[in-house]
Amino acid sequence: DVGKNNEIVGGRKVGKIVSTCVLDIDIYKNQPRVIQHTQEPNTEQWIGTEIQVLVAGNWTTYKSRVVQYLRQLAIITPYARLEMTYSNRSDEKKGMNFKFERRSEQMPPAAREVKHHPSSVNNLLVQQLLERTNAKTLVKFLTNDLSGITPASARRLIERLGNSFEPDMDPADLDDKLVTRFVQVLRSADDLFKSPDGGCLSPLGEYNLNLGIQKVVEPDIIATARDKPGAYDGHPFIVEAAVSLGGKDAKEGITVVRFANRIPLLFEGGADVATRVANGKIKWSSYKIDHKRDKIGVFVSIVSTKVPFKGTGKEYIGDDIIEIQQSVKRALQNCCQQLRAHLTKKNALRDVKERKSRLLKYIPDVSRSVFGILEAMQKRKSEEAESGPRYSSPRKRIAGAGAGAGVGSSRQQHLKPTESEVFSVLERVSNGDLTEDTIKEHLVEAVEENVNAGLGFDENEEVFGKVGTSKSKKVGEDDDRQAV
């Protein structure tokens, strides 16, 4: 709140003291102003940082936003323990308490302070640098106060500036007109210095992002990706993304969660680059995902030395910067490709289980019918042994003799059992070694061994296509009967 100071308490693992600092912020210099700083012995070996801030607002109206902010903050800071307690003095039932325990011990790397890249400067910034510099020559100013400029490239740059600039001139001699010319050449001379390096940034990391989403959202499947570092207008940036399916309290459709320098963005999400890419640039059907029915969570974190916010509220990042838009798209596509591989395998396993279930359903009827046929054959064989062989009619004998002359006769002869094989089977039926139960056991073993190898799959049924339509179900059942 305005006029109230903030209190920060911190203790380190290697330290023997606990520091307490009371401060506020100098809004003109954007710097902390220390009011009180005390140190006490750390007798309890306490480690961590505790911040107390007094905030005034309308809790009834913005309760859901506060909870939403803390939930998203728990996602992007899985290495922190967050707890919030609200007590209502007039009605205790309206009080609430929730907390998010620490899930990761891996801290993201600390951000490093770097000098301004030549492509990122403007007139105001150059004037501020000229006022603070200790350089006595223009060459020294370029090499010491800006990044990525060597003495050789600095001299080549001064040559492009024109006759009004000299390598040994005092930077303080630059007036407004010369500063304008100086900035124009700096922003256009990309061939003289390297692109800004993203090593100074502090991204969360795929491991922590994965843990944070699992902790809060509890999805069924999740994939994370980080795109290569990029730059726009001399400012480096890194995009990290995650796509999840399912989860606690998840809604059907696409839900986009956005972060900028590890800070949740709650408002004006429809105009944000992450939302527009997720809704308009990703072909979800190509990755076996139904963007209308599936519960899709899209998480995009952008870290940069200068986040290109739109508007005074700094609540969304526009999609007019092509470099960031393409980086977000690549990161999301990478996540979707990981999910597609997982979903394809999952659908294949599901189809195999369904095929196995349908095959096992027919085994009792098949084993009963086969055993009935074998019993009838064994009975007829016994009658022939007692009364002599039974001869078929001449017409049947002629038909049987000519059956081998047609197409596929070799295959029929190959499949036809020999007389000794038939005798062996009927002998087992007569002795009781081959029963309906043993036939059932053999069929179950055959299904177990062969169904995983794609037994019965054909071109009429798509293994990785839509499952559950009446047409595909009927075709599958017919194929199962033929396979059995």
Side-chain angles (χ1 to χ4, degrees):
D1 192 7
V2 178
K4 300 294 183 179
N5 300 324
N6 305 318
E7 182 176 334
I8 302 176
V9 181
R12 296 184 299 171
K13 185 175 182 180
V14 297
K16 297 181 180 180
I17 59 174
V18 176
S19 299
T20 302
C21 185
V22 180
L23 53 81
D24 61 5
I25 297 178
D26 187 335
I27 61 175
Y28 298 103
K29 297 182 179 180
N30 194 24
Q31 294 178 350
R33 185 166 50 198
V34 179
I35 307 299
Q36 181 183 358
H37 189 192
T38 59
Q39 294 181 343
E40 299 176 357
N42 190 1
T43 57
E44 299 180 359
Q45 298 299 313
W46 182 77
I47 302 172
T49 302
E50 180 182 289
I51 302 176
Q52 297 183 19
V53 181
L54 180 62
V55 180
N58 190 330
W59 172 257
T60 304
T61 304
Y62 295 102
K63 169 186 173 182
S64 61
R65 290 295 188 180
V66 173
V67 175
Q68 180 186 6
Y69 183 86
L70 289 177
R71 282 175 57 87
Q72 295 186 12
L73 190 63
I75 293 176
I76 204 65
T77 58
Y79 46 82
R81 178 182 180 273
L82 303 178
E83 182 177 2
M84 192 197 78
T85 303
Y86 168 73
S87 57
N88 192 309
R89 296 180 179 178
S90 59
D91 188 357
E92 294 183 357
K93 295 182 178 180
K94 293 183 179 181
M96 62 180 298
N97 175 272
F98 65 92
K99 60 182 177 181
F100 298 96
E101 296 292 343
R102 180 188 296 110
R103 186 158 185 173
S104 174
E105 299 294 333
Q106 180 177 323
M107 291 285 292
R112 292 188 294 106
E113 184 177 356
V114 293
K115 300 174 184 177
H116 295 280
H117 192 268
S119 300
S120 66
V121 299
N122 53 37
N123 289 26
L124 179 61
L125 179 59
V126 168
Q127 290 175 350
Q128 293 176 349
L129 293 176
L130 291 172
E131 293 174 358
R132 297 196 298 262
T133 185
N134 296 322
K136 301 302 181 182
T137 64
L138 189 57
V139 172
K140 288 292 184 181
F141 171 76
L142 288 171
T143 55
N144 295 343
D145 292 67
L146 296 175
S147 65
I149 300 182
T150 63
S153 59
R155 294 183 183 279
R156 293 174 57 189
L157 181 66
I158 294 174
E159 292 177 0
R160 297 187 185 183
L161 288 171
N163 298 329
S164 300
F165 295 84
E166 295 293 339
D168 297 331
M169 70 181 297
D170 191 342
D173 295 338
L174 297 180
D175 56 16
D176 293 343
K177 185 178 180 180
L178 294 179
V179 167
T180 301
R181 172 61 181 168
F182 184 73
V183 171
Q184 290 175 350
V185 175
L186 275 179
R187 295 180 64 88
S188 61
D190 296 337
D191 58 319
L192 296 180
F193 31 76
K194 299 180 180 179
S195 299
D197 182 19
C200 62
L201 303 176
S202 177
L204 178 63
E206 292 185 53
Y207 173 77
N208 280 337
L209 182 60
N210 193 314
L211 287 182
I213 296 173
Q214 288 184 10
K215 176 177 68 173
V216 179
V217 182
E218 300 179 8
D220 301 328
I221 312 173
I222 181 174
T224 59
R226 176 194 290 182
D227 194 39
K228 59 183 180 181
Y232 79 95
D233 293 340
H235 301 287
F237 68 87
I238 295 178
V239 174
E240 294 176 312
V243 178
S244 66
L245 297 179
K248 181 178 63 177
D249 300 330
K251 299 179 181 179
E252 292 185 353
I254 301 174
T255 302
V256 181
V257 180
R258 305 163 294 127
F259 305 97
N261 283 342
R262 304 212 302 269
I263 299 297
L265 304 178
L266 302 185
F267 302 97
E268 301 184 50
D272 192 89
V273 59
T275 305
R276 295 198 172 185
V277 170
N279 291 327
K281 303 291 184 180
I282 304 297
K283 296 182 180 180
W284 296 98
S285 59
S286 301
Y287 304 101
K288 314 297 180 184
I289 300 174
D290 188 344
H291 68 282
K292 293 184 179 180
R293 291 187 174 184
D294 292 338
K295 300 176 180 179
I296 307 171
V298 175
F299 305 83
V300 177
S301 173
I302 300 176
V303 293
S304 176
T305 54
K306 183 180 180 181
V307 179
F309 290 112
K310 297 293 182 180
T312 57
K314 294 186 177 181
E315 286 295 339
Y316 75 98
I317 302 171
D319 63 343
D320 54 335
I321 299 178
I322 303 301
E323 294 86 352
I324 294 182
Q325 181 191 108
Q326 292 177 346
S327 183
V328 171
K329 182 179 178 180
R330 286 193 300 267
L332 291 179
Q333 286 177 333
N334 192 339
C335 295
C336 291
Q337 289 171 359
Q338 298 176 45
L339 292 178
R340 178 173 59 185
H342 182 87
L343 292 174
T344 299
K345 182 178 179 180
K346 182 180 178 181
N347 292 341
L349 293 175
R350 180 191 60 194
D351 291 343
V352 166
K353 290 182 180 179
E354 291 180 356
R355 176 59 58 84
K356 177 181 175 181
S357 176
R358 290 197 295 263
L359 288 173
L360 293 176
K361 181 177 66 175
Y362 300 121
I363 285 180
D365 295 335
V366 171
S367 58
R368 190 182 308 111
S369 300
V370 170
F371 185 71
I373 294 173
L374 293 176
E375 277 190 323
M377 291 176 63
Q378 194 274 335
K379 183 178 181 182
R380 185 167 65 249
K381 196 75 173 176
S382 299
E383 292 175 352
E384 289 179 356
E386 295 177 358
S387 59
R390 298 168 58 184
Y391 297 97
S392 58
S393 64
R395 180 179 301 174
K396 290 184 178 180
R397 289 198 298 271
I398 294 173
V407 178
S409 60
S410 61
R411 181 182 178 186
Q412 293 175 2
Q413 292 295 331
H414 175 71
L415 296 177
K416 184 177 180 180
T418 63
E419 186 174 349
S420 61
E421 292 174 341
V422 174
F423 179 79
S424 176
V425 171
L426 296 180
E427 187 70 20
R428 294 177 61 190
V429 173
S430 177
N431 297 336
D433 296 335
L434 185 61
T435 63
E436 180 179 338
D437 291 336
T438 57
I439 294 175
K440 185 184 300 183
E441 291 176 1
H442 287 305
L443 288 175
V444 171
E445 291 177 0
V447 169
E448 295 284 354
E449 293 177 0
N450 294 286
V451 73
N452 291 335
L455 177 64
F457 284 177
D458 64 358
E459 297 179 355
N460 295 327
E461 187 174 8
E462 295 180 1
V463 177
F464 306 122
K466 293 183 179 179
V467 179
T469 60
S470 58
K471 180 178 179 181
S472 63
K473 182 178 180 182
K474 187 175 188 307
V475 172
E477 291 180 352
D478 293 341
D479 293 342
D480 292 336
R481 293 191 183 97
Q482 295 174 7
V484 171

